[in-house]
Amino acid sequence: MAVCNSLAELQRAILKEMESAMNSASKEIEDTVKQDVQSFYSSGSPVMYVRTGKLGKTPKTSPISNNGASEISFKAYLDQNGGYPSITYTYRDGHQTTSKAPSMTDVLNLTNYGTTSSSVGRLHPALGQSGYWEKALGKMQGILDKNMGSHFR
C-alpha cells in the first residue's frame, strides 16, 4: 500500500483505484448484459423471420469518465444505432410481403418488452425470452459493489 504525504496525494490514489475498479466493473457489466441479451435467443428458431444477430451486438459500455475531482462513471446501454433492411416475409403458401425496416429502438422494444407497435407499424411478435434488460439491471449494482469491494478492503 502506498504512503500518501498529503491529502491531495491521497485523493489521487483513491481516484486511481476507483478508476481501476470501475474499469473492471464496466467490462463485467458489459459481459453480463451480453449474456442476458443472448438469453433472448433461447426459445428456438423462428419460422416467420430470419435472425440477423444484430440484437446480440447492442450491449455496450461507454469509456470511463473521470472528472479528476470526485466523480468516475460509465454508462451501460443497448446501442440503438444500426438498424435493419426492409423485411420481406415469405408465408407458407408462398406469397410475400415487404415491410419498412424497423429501427433498432423498435427491435429493442419488441424483443425486451414484447411491444409490437413501432415507428413502421405493427411488428410480428418475436420468438424469444423478453425482459433481458431488466435482468441485467438487477445485477449491475452487485457487480459494482463487488468490484469496489475488491479494490477497497
Side-chain angles (χ1 to χ4, degrees):
M1 178 182 240
V3 174
C4 298
N5 296 314
S6 70
L7 189 54
E9 281 183 21
L10 177 60
Q11 184 177 20
R12 282 191 299 275
I14 290 170
L15 286 174
K16 183 178 178 184
E17 198 63 30
M18 284 177 63
E19 188 169 356
S20 178
M22 292 295 272
N23 273 314
S24 299
S26 173
K27 173 74 173 117
E28 188 174 344
I29 285 173
E30 185 172 329
D31 290 345
T32 297
V33 177
K34 284 178 181 177
Q35 289 172 355
D36 288 337
V37 167
Q38 286 302 316
S39 73
F40 173 80
Y41 296 113
S42 66
S43 294
S45 297
V47 176
M48 294 193 62
Y49 61 94
V50 176
R51 290 196 164 138
T52 65
K54 286 186 177 186
L55 176 65
K57 296 176 181 143
T58 61
K60 306 277 188 230
T61 54
S62 67
I64 302 296
S65 172
N66 181 347
N67 72 1
S70 61
E71 184 179 308
I72 298 175
S73 62
F74 68 91
K75 293 180 182 177
Y77 61 99
L78 298 173
D79 188 0
Q80 296 183 22
N81 295 316
Y84 290 82
S86 61
I87 299 171
T88 300
Y89 295 99
T90 302
Y91 296 91
R92 289 185 183 179
D93 65 5
H95 82 277
Q96 294 182 332
T97 58
T98 300
S99 67
K100 293 180 183 175
S103 68
M104 185 55 81
T105 301
D106 293 334
V107 171
L108 292 171
N109 286 330
L110 174 67
T111 58
N112 190 54
Y113 303 113
T115 306
T116 56
S117 60
S118 76
S119 62
V120 295
R122 186 179 180 286
L123 299 175
H124 290 281
L127 177 65
Q129 297 293 317
S130 61
Y132 51 81
W133 180 245
E134 286 71 22
K135 190 180 346 174
L137 283 174
K139 298 173 185 176
M140 289 183 194
Q141 187 63 53
I143 292 169
L144 283 168
D145 292 347
K146 179 186 79 165
N147 280 277
M148 286 298 190
S150 71
H151 284 262
F152 294 97
R153 296 177 198 195

